[in-house]
Amino acid sequence: MILVGDCFEKLKDIEDNSIHSLVTDPPYGLSTITEQDTRDCLAQWLADEVYTSQKTGFMGKSWDSFVPSPVLFREVLRVLKPGAYGLVFSGSRTQDLMTMSLRLAGFEIRDCLMWLYGNGFPKSHDISAAFDKKAGIKGQLIKTVTRSNEPSGLVGVGRNRSIITKSFYAPASEEAKKWEGWGTALRPAYEPITLVRKPIKSSVTANIKEHGTGGLNIDACRVKGDGKPRKVKRSASPSVGVTGFSPSSKSDFPSDRWPANIITDGSINLKHANRYFYCAKVNPEERHKGTDQNIHPTVKPINLMRYLCKLITPEEGTILDPFAGSGSTLCAAVLEGFKPLGIERDPEYAAIAEQRLNHYTLDKEWSLF
């Protein structure tokens, strides 16, 4: 089901303790945030009020002006079953605010997953070039680079397309030569995904027995190995031993790896990268599949969302995404046999999510509400 409208209002119509998991990619709030902005935000959050920024965030989008408030996440918490897990994406610059919002809403912070990728583009200010520009002079032309200002895979979708041509010059002024090679930002290479849980009321086993939530599906998300048994040396300390095995002995274990809090896109050449789940960034074919044109600027790969859905959702459970966007989480949910419940305030994005959901579903048609 896809509900169209403000997620805070739509959440009010959902029954308490009825949803099995939360998988969502909310606004990151990638605007310029000053110390005063942070103070004002925390003051309003602590007063149980919604903080609203007047700035614009990613690609000038007003909906990305700030991270969601604890007031909204508290509504999300209400509809989740006790012990239900959530996976919440955030930006590396604003993860602290996203996590604080989740904490103040009442969630337990359980871990942070890192999705590593190798094709991020640095958005850095060239300090050397800035000195020459201020002096009104240009050095010798070195090269010219043409690229799109759109996220990976979005090139050619029409109205969002903007081609940027940038020329690079050798430093001319003495000040520029002094600061050649200096910038203001690193190349982005990961996105954090905060693992949260609604507090359980008693023990984990009692909570699972009553609500079906409270655990992670470890075996379903193991990273496939080479099929050969591994020898694992156990610690001599009894406190770190495993029930059924002698703590100081070696035992045969399957080659499939325990799921880790690192996910890679395969471009990261780590020595032991094969022990982590692999998922590439979304490509244009997947982005537009089932639609006339997917214009949403922050589309997540469906395989990544399938893995995350499977990790925290019990069999045939309902997955909530209150920031559904173009529906990657919803498509992932149905492909894994779960029930999707998405909320999206932009009718155009919601219509794209509906088209994508219908494409990936063979036995039913999805409609907007």
Side-chain angles (χ1 to χ4, degrees):
M1 180 182 294
I2 307 173
L3 306 178
V4 185
D6 180 81
C7 59
F8 183 73
E9 295 301 323
K10 293 296 181 179
L11 282 165
K12 293 178 181 178
D13 297 329
I14 301 175
E15 185 181 344
D16 293 1
N17 307 314
S18 60
I19 306 295
H20 296 88
S21 68
L22 166 73
V23 179
T24 190
D25 185 24
Y28 291 0
L30 299 180
S31 57
T32 302
I33 300 174
T34 65
E35 177 191 355
Q36 191 58 52
D37 293 333
T38 304
R39 290 180 179 275
D40 292 344
C41 158
L42 292 177
Q44 290 187 248
W45 282 3
L46 291 171
D48 289 332
E49 298 173 355
V50 176
Y51 175 75
T52 303
S53 173
Q54 301 303 314
K55 302 174 183 178
T56 57
F58 180 67
M59 291 181 68
K61 303 292 185 182
S62 60
W63 50 258
D64 190 56
S65 61
F66 214 77
V67 303
S69 71
V71 174
L72 188 147
F73 278 131
R74 200 167 295 128
E75 275 298 295
V76 173
L77 186 79
R78 176 187 63 79
V79 304
L80 291 174
K81 291 176 176 287
Y85 278 92
L87 285 161
V88 182
F89 282 80
S90 61
S92 57
R93 286 193 281 126
T94 53
Q95 185 193 8
D96 58 335
L97 291 169
M98 190 77 76
T99 304
M100 183 58 67
S101 182
L102 290 162
R103 286 187 188 276
L104 291 174
F107 280 100
E108 299 173 352
I109 306 299
R110 304 292 296 180
D111 205 337
C112 180
L113 286 69
M114 295 288 177
W115 178 34
L116 308 181
Y117 47 82
N119 60 348
F121 194 89
K123 301 172 181 64
S124 177
H125 185 63
D126 187 330
I127 295 175
S128 175
F131 274 112
D132 273 351
K133 183 178 181 180
K134 186 175 182 181
I137 57 177
K138 283 183 180 180
Q140 183 180 357
L141 178 66
I142 300 173
K143 63 179 178 179
T144 301
V145 176
T146 301
R147 66 178 180 86
S148 169
N149 71 336
E150 298 165 353
S152 174
L154 195 58
V155 176
V157 300
R159 75 176 194 191
N160 287 336
R161 188 179 185 186
S162 177
I163 299 300
I164 297 174
T165 299
K166 186 173 182 180
S167 297
F168 294 86
Y169 298 87
S173 67
E174 288 304 314
E175 201 73 38
K177 292 175 182 177
K178 179 182 177 181
W179 293 102
E180 184 179 10
W182 287 72
T184 58
L186 302 174
R187 181 175 61 81
Y190 79 93
E191 284 191 41
I193 312 168
T194 305
L195 177 67
V196 298
R197 187 174 71 179
K198 182 173 180 176
I200 60 176
K201 293 186 176 179
S202 50
S203 67
V204 171
T205 52
N207 195 92
I208 289 175
K209 187 174 181 179
E210 182 178 355
H211 302 287
T213 50
L216 301 175
N217 197 348
I218 300 298
D219 275 359
C221 294
R222 286 183 182 271
V223 179
K224 296 298 181 183
D226 56 11
K228 299 176 182 178
R230 290 186 294 113
K231 291 287 187 180
V232 179
K233 186 175 182 179
R234 290 301 182 186
S235 166
S237 168
S239 63
V240 224
V242 176
T243 305
F245 296 94
S246 171
S248 58
S249 68
K250 290 183 178 180
S251 304
D252 286 338
F253 277 71
S255 62
D256 292 352
R257 300 280 186 172
W258 194 280
N261 56 9
I262 287 179
I263 297 168
T264 79
D265 76 339
S267 62
I268 309 296
N269 188 21
L270 300 176
K271 182 179 179 182
H272 300 294
N274 60 350
R275 70 180 60 191
Y276 304 125
F277 178 72
Y278 159 85
C279 184
K281 278 193 168 185
V282 67
N283 59 46
E285 180 184 1
E286 179 185 311
R287 172 186 289 274
H288 305 300
K289 188 173 287 186
T291 74
D292 297 326
Q293 199 174 79
N294 187 349
I295 61 170
H296 198 282
T298 61
V299 180
K300 289 294 187 293
I302 289 177
N303 278 345
L304 174 62
M305 308 314 285
R306 289 181 71 168
Y307 179 79
L308 299 178
C309 289
K310 187 166 55 175
L311 179 64
I312 65 172
T313 313
E315 188 175 353
E316 298 183 356
T318 300
I319 298 174
L320 172 66
D321 184 355
F323 305 96
S326 63
S328 293
T329 298
L330 309 183
C331 296
V334 297
L335 287 169
E336 289 296 330
F338 301 121
K339 301 166 188 172
L341 176 54
I343 306 174
E344 175 51 48
R345 76 176 189 178
D346 187 315
E348 192 170 14
Y349 292 158
I352 294 170
E354 178 191 19
Q355 292 171 7
R356 297 181 77 204
L357 199 51
N358 285 332
H359 173 81
Y360 286 106
T361 309
L362 300 177
D363 58 347
K364 75 178 295 186
E365 288 288 313
W366 299 86
S367 299
L368 305 179
F369 293 92

